[in-house]
Amino acid sequence: MIVTLLAHAQQTGKSHVKGHIQTSDGKPGSFVTVQIKNGKSATVTDENGNYQLRNVPAGKHILVISIVGFQSTEYDIETTEESTLNVADISLREDAKTLQEITVKGNVNKFSQKETPYVSRLPLKNLENPQVYNVISKDLMEEQLITDYKQSLRNVPGAAVAHGGYSNGFTYSIIRGFWTGARMRNGLATQQFNGIDPVTVERTEAIKGPSGTLFGSSLISFGGLTNLVTKKPLDTFQGNVTFTTGSYNLVRLAADVNTPLNADKTLLLRVNTALHSEGSFMDWGFQKRFVLAPSLSYKVDDRLTLNFEAEILRSKMTLLPIQDFSGVSVKNISKLPIRYNQSINSDDPVNAGGSDLFYAQATYKFPGNWTSNTLFSYAAGHDDEFVALWTSWKNDSTINRSVETSAGGTTDLQFQQNFNGDFKIAGMRNRLVAGVDYYYSKNLSTGYVNAEFATQAPYDVININRLYSPVSLDKIRAIRSNLIHARESSKTETYSAYASNVLNISDRLLAMLSLRVDRYEYKGAAVMFSDYTGGYGQTALSPKFGLVYQPVKDQVSIFANYMNGFQNNGSARQPDGSITVLKPANGYQWETGVKLDVFNHKLSATVSYYNIDLTNAIRQDAGGFSRQDGKQRSKGIEADIIANPLPGLSIIAGFGMNDYKYLIADEGQVGITTGLPNDFVNFWMSYKAPAGALRGVGVGFGGNYVSEAYSDNQYGSLTIPAYTLFDATVFYDKPKWRLALKVNNLSNTKMWGLNNNPMNPRNFATSLSFKF
């Protein structure tokens, strides 16, 4: 079969072939295999049906379009040197509903799609990128029936989720030995302290290592960052409505609706929304939230595209108590003399608040291979009322309860301008991003303090073996009526410029060279009834280097990187009254490993070894003076495997082993660890029948292992025991509906999270989706 071809020459080096595939009803042909017959060039269409084949030799070729379960289709094409061939739209015989039933499309490993413009702010394939990152897709979240976003992060190799149970507040995870918060959305700053709802999530990118070169200092840790990518508008009418119910009075209604707004499909709208309510297995506890997230895309012309997003979230939830176990006699949290489901709080004091997020992007394509991306984000998170319960165990039965109440919020503004180019110098290909970034953050908080400015107020003393009253909000209000209502505000501004270039020394050897200059300005804090704390400014440089060699082109890459991250520090007042001007702390990582994408994309894997040295850390010497000569080291091994060995069968497995040590630190810390887990295992296996009478029927099984942790490690080593968790799901996926059942914690294991909270025993959830 011969199709009409439109081609034009561009100075891009070797020939490329690009195009778009759609179904017979005009919808995108997502995840369809496109390859050159008897050649090495092969790819898979993205969710919009677009594809691009690189490095195609000049001459006549046969373009093969294939989908498992259907006969492949062939098209004659002809390429010339130094050109990009734009193939006219190809229409499949199958419609979107038929295509949707196929789990494995053209030998596609559906969970291994890692193409992203965010990790390096460049259009790099995973095998071309010297940095390690993992992607959790909405397809995997749907298969695992995720209703609590933070549980999706259990799929990140070498990581653990810090919060569990019914407290769906700010999401922390442990990456490479460091606490990491979910503070980035589409590559920009966000404020989601009151929770993240899965209905807005297209995918989550866990970007490993100190990534200060491209992401700055305020939003990341030395271990890495998590970047949430939201769902974007598509050019077809489609959507779904999903109802979920389950244990602990779980009731959830979610909808995802996408539609073009005009005939030529240049104006697109997508709206995601969810209403969620859930109780707890404990005596007390609940969470409620509502989210509405519209997004709009407008293609002004062939060069300019505008995108707008908003997300309004409101939530109300109980918070887990903050506990001090220093007075107990036991050394293992599982031995505490308290029932597993016993709560020492109540449903009365809550955290009520939300977030208002707005995002805009303008993409302009210049003649040639240059693109401008202008981005702006506004993110406001607010606590209308925040009530935290502090508990101090005096012995194995007596607990002092104290309360802390406050309100306030944080507002972030970020403007970013990036220019991307793809060009040749001396016959070698360069892919460059150069950008500037302005980030503004303002924090405002009000709280109640006593005359000594202590934020915690005594509530009562209880004996857990006797009857005690639940915590009362009326009593809390009576207590704080006698306290000082204090107010604090602070502002920061950061001005940055950066550039990163990937040079193709050959078609198999690539080098990345990147640098950021960052000026951080802390404007000081205004504190009511206290002294004004002065501001300061710091300048930091953040370099990044990477090498990639592909011994087998587009299948095997050996990589190495050297990366930097930094964190700003204010001045320190010493015991003798003097002021010490502190420098930014730095984290330096070197890493090496191998990435695979072999057997026609059936096996994707990454194995790496990393070493992170944290320098300029602040420590206290024996006299109480602040010294900036502290040093810490985190090193370890990570492995990530995603396989599709048989049609319909998907396997995900990950492993991480971390060794973290204080090398120069406070007295008593030297030589010990942070107390966080060292070993992590995650896996998920699923099978969905691709054909036959059982087509659409699927099962899934997976779990996690997290090694023991030590609460307040340097002060007494209360052990949080290791745990192994198993989950299972069954589902029936049809073109117009989907029914699923999930059982979490199959073995009914008792386990505690990294913030000392007992996590859910065995529970279930079931969902029914209607598609259109």
Side-chain angles (χ1 to χ4, degrees):
M1 182 184 299
I2 299 177
V3 297
T4 302
L5 305 178
L6 301 174
H8 64 278
Q10 297 179 347
Q11 297 304 311
T12 59
K14 293 187 178 180
S15 300
H16 305 319
V17 177
K18 62 193 302 185
H20 177 264
I21 293 179
Q22 61 187 24
T23 57
S24 60
D25 53 354
K27 296 185 177 181
S30 306
F31 307 118
V32 175
T33 296
V34 182
Q35 58 187 336
I36 300 297
K37 190 173 184 179
N38 299 323
K40 295 183 179 180
S41 297
T43 190
V44 177
T45 58
D46 62 20
E47 62 180 14
N48 298 317
N50 300 316
Y51 66 89
Q52 181 171 358
L53 295 168
R54 297 183 180 275
N55 302 319
V56 179
K60 295 182 179 181
H61 304 281
I62 297 176
L63 191 68
V64 180
I65 312 299
S66 59
I67 313 168
V68 168
F70 295 89
Q71 184 176 358
S72 61
T73 307
E74 298 183 351
Y75 299 86
D76 294 335
I77 64 172
E78 184 172 358
T79 60
T80 59
E81 289 288 352
E82 301 290 339
S83 69
T84 295
L85 184 66
N86 289 330
V87 179
D89 284 358
I90 295 175
S91 181
L92 302 172
R93 298 187 182 95
E94 296 74 39
D95 61 20
K97 297 300 183 183
T98 303
L99 197 64
Q100 198 172 33
E101 287 191 325
I102 304 170
T103 299
V104 184
K105 306 173 180 72
N107 291 328
V108 174
N109 191 339
K110 65 177 181 177
F111 296 138
S112 68
Q113 307 303 310
K114 288 189 174 183
E115 307 306 317
T116 169
Y118 298 104
V119 174
S120 295
R121 304 197 191 280
L122 286 168
L124 294 181
K125 296 180 181 179
N126 181 40
L127 293 185
E128 296 177 312
N129 199 325
Q131 188 166 5
V132 173
Y133 63 96
N134 309 107
V135 175
I136 305 166
S137 68
K138 70 177 187 300
D139 295 323
L140 180 58
M141 294 173 64
E142 179 185 63
E143 193 165 282
Q144 294 180 347
L145 219 166
I146 297 294
T147 60
D148 181 349
Y149 168 76
K150 61 185 174 292
Q151 298 303 331
S152 69
L153 299 180
R154 289 166 40 195
N155 294 290
V156 177
V161 183
H163 286 262
Y166 59 89
S167 175
N168 195 38
F170 187 59
T171 300
Y172 279 105
S173 56
I174 307 299
I175 298 180
R176 296 192 170 181
F178 296 89
W179 293 94
T180 303
R183 299 193 61 193
M184 303 209 73
R185 183 177 182 268
N186 297 321
L188 298 177
T190 188
Q191 290 293 339
Q192 297 184 270
F193 289 94
N194 295 87
I196 299 171
D197 195 278
V199 76
T200 66
V201 181
E202 178 69 31
R203 67 182 183 273
T204 298
E205 301 169 346
I207 304 173
K208 306 293 187 62
S211 303
T213 308
L214 292 179
F215 295 97
S217 65
S218 302
L219 306 169
I220 69 172
S221 79
F222 293 123
L225 66 133
T226 54
N227 178 44
L228 185 155
V229 179
T230 56
K231 296 176 180 177
K232 304 295 190 294
L234 306 173
D235 62 0
T236 60
F237 176 73
Q238 59 181 283
N240 63 78
V241 177
T242 302
F243 175 75
T244 306
T245 187
S247 302
Y248 319 126
N249 299 315
L250 169 64
V251 178
R252 175 181 172 85
L253 184 64
D256 178 358
V257 180
N258 185 92
T259 183
L261 296 179
N262 57 3
D264 59 1
K265 299 182 179 181
T266 58
L267 187 62
L268 312 174
L269 174 67
R270 188 167 187 174
V271 178
N272 288 274
T273 186
L275 185 64
H276 184 104
S277 177
E278 186 176 1
S280 170
F281 74 94
M282 302 186 75
D283 297 332
W284 307 99
F286 74 94
Q287 60 169 304
K288 299 178 184 294
R289 67 177 178 270
F290 169 74
V291 63
L292 176 64
S295 56
L296 187 72
S297 175
Y298 177 44
K299 186 176 181 181
V300 179
D301 51 37
D302 289 340
R303 296 191 182 279
L304 178 62
T305 301
L306 305 176
N307 293 284
F308 306 93
E309 291 186 26
E311 181 179 323
I312 309 300
L313 182 140
R314 297 293 180 267
S315 69
K316 188 175 183 179
M317 70 191 79
T318 52
L319 294 178
L320 296 166
I322 303 166
Q323 305 201 59
D324 172 11
F325 296 107
S326 58
V328 299
S329 63
V330 299
K331 292 299 181 182
N332 191 303
I333 199 170
S334 65
K335 304 298 183 182
L336 286 175
I338 189 171
R339 288 184 290 108
Y340 188 70
N341 66 336
Q342 184 174 347
S343 173
I344 52 179
N345 203 344
S346 75
D347 283 348
D348 211 6
V350 298
N351 178 26
S355 56
D356 303 305
L357 312 175
F358 301 94
Y359 173 87
Q361 178 179 9
T363 301
Y364 185 80
K365 298 180 179 179
F366 293 100
N369 292 310
W370 286 90
T371 303
S372 165
N373 272 294
T374 307
L375 304 104
F376 173 80
S377 71
Y378 169 91
H382 52 91
D383 290 323
D384 302 323
E385 184 164 42
F386 178 91
V387 181
L389 179 67
W390 294 74
T391 64
S392 176
W393 290 65
K394 297 306 176 184
N395 53 51
D396 289 350
S397 60
T398 304
I399 301 176
N400 286 356
R401 296 194 293 188
S402 301
V403 292
E404 177 186 355
T405 63
S406 63
T410 300
T411 300
D412 287 350
L413 294 175
Q414 190 169 9
F415 172 83
Q416 193 175 100
Q417 173 62 55
N418 293 318
F419 293 99
N420 290 82
D422 191 336
F423 55 92
K424 279 190 170 184
I425 296 178
M428 293 185 291
R429 184 186 183 191
N430 291 263
R431 279 168 286 180
L432 171 71
V433 58
V436 293
D437 186 287
Y438 170 74
Y439 174 54
Y440 168 89
S441 184
K442 179 180 180 180
N443 180 269
L444 173 65
S445 63
T446 62
Y448 296 85
V449 299
N450 61 21
E452 288 75 35
F453 298 101
T455 59
Q456 299 172 38
Y459 183 85
D460 66 3
V461 179
I462 64 172
N463 186 315
I464 61 170
N465 297 319
R466 300 174 183 173
L467 291 177
Y468 56 88
S469 298
V471 176
S472 165
L473 186 57
D474 288 338
K475 183 175 179 179
I476 293 172
R477 287 170 175 165
I479 292 172
R480 75 186 185 191
S481 66
N482 297 314
L483 300 175
I484 301 171
H485 192 190
R487 182 179 185 271
E488 179 178 337
S489 64
S490 62
K491 295 187 295 184
T492 62
E493 290 183 292
T494 306
Y495 305 85
S496 307
Y498 49 85
S500 180
N501 186 57
V502 174
L503 173 67
N504 280 73
I505 300 172
S506 71
D507 65 343
R508 296 174 183 265
L509 179 62
L510 293 81
M512 174 183 283
L513 177 63
S514 314
L515 182 66
R516 180 189 191 97
V517 58
D518 188 279
R519 178 62 180 177
Y520 176 85
E521 297 283 352
Y522 176 68
K523 301 301 182 179
V527 184
M528 186 178 293
F529 306 115
S530 182
D531 293 334
Y532 172 82
T533 59
Y536 65 93
Q538 290 180 339
T539 301
L541 292 176
S542 178
K544 177 181 178 181
F545 308 97
L547 285 173
V548 173
Y549 177 68
Q550 298 186 18
V552 182
K553 179 66 175 173
D554 295 327
Q555 296 187 62
V556 180
S557 70
I558 301 170
F559 68 92
N561 65 59
Y562 178 81
M563 299 168 54
N564 167 267
F566 56 97
Q567 292 180 353
N568 299 102
N569 294 304
S571 300
R573 183 179 295 276
Q574 303 290 19
D576 61 2
S578 63
I579 300 295
T580 299
V581 178
L582 300 174
K583 301 176 181 179
N586 284 281
Y588 298 97
Q589 172 184 281
W590 63 267
E591 181 178 20
T592 186
V594 61
K595 296 182 181 182
L596 305 177
D597 186 6
V598 295
F599 305 123
N600 197 20
H601 309 293
K602 290 184 178 182
L603 175 62
S604 173
T606 301
V607 180
S608 69
Y609 172 82
Y610 63 86
N611 183 100
I612 303 172
D613 285 316
L614 173 57
T615 63
N616 285 349
I618 302 170
R619 69 179 184 91
Q620 304 295 318
D621 66 15
F625 285 80
S626 296
R627 305 297 185 193
Q628 199 173 12
D629 59 356
K631 186 174 181 180
Q632 302 163 29
R633 176 171 294 159
S634 176
K635 58 184 179 180
I637 299 172
E638 288 179 351
D640 176 23
I641 299 173
I642 307 175
N644 174 216
L646 299 170
L649 177 62
S650 297
I651 300 173
I652 298 173
F655 168 78
M657 183 175 65
N658 176 261
D659 179 25
Y660 195 114
K661 288 288 192 303
Y662 289 102
L663 303 181
I664 302 174
D666 296 352
E667 186 177 356
Q669 280 188 323
V670 176
I672 67 171
T673 73
T674 59
L676 296 174
N678 295 104
D679 303 319
F680 312 86
V681 177
N682 67 282
F683 75 96
W684 182 259
M685 298 183 296
S686 66
Y687 177 77
K688 179 181 174 183
L694 294 179
R695 174 184 289 179
V697 175
V699 295
F701 175 75
N704 293 82
Y705 168 79
V706 178
S707 63
E708 65 271 11
Y710 304 96
S711 179
D712 295 328
N713 183 54
Q714 61 268 38
Y715 303 115
S717 301
L718 179 68
T719 301
I720 301 173
Y723 67 82
T724 302
L725 172 70
F726 296 108
D727 302 329
T729 184
V730 294
F731 55 90
Y732 192 17
D733 199 351
K734 300 297 289 181
K736 293 186 177 181
W737 54 272
R738 186 180 194 274
L739 179 64
L741 173 67
K742 174 81 175 293
V743 180
N744 298 294
N745 194 358
L746 276 170
S747 58
N748 203 29
T749 300
K750 290 185 178 181
M751 52 194 174
W752 284 259
L754 298 180
N755 56 338
N756 300 313
N757 63 291
M759 297 196 291
N760 287 341
R762 183 187 299 118
N763 64 93
F764 78 93
T766 184
S767 70
L768 177 61
S769 297
F770 295 98
K771 309 173 189 178
F772 50 86

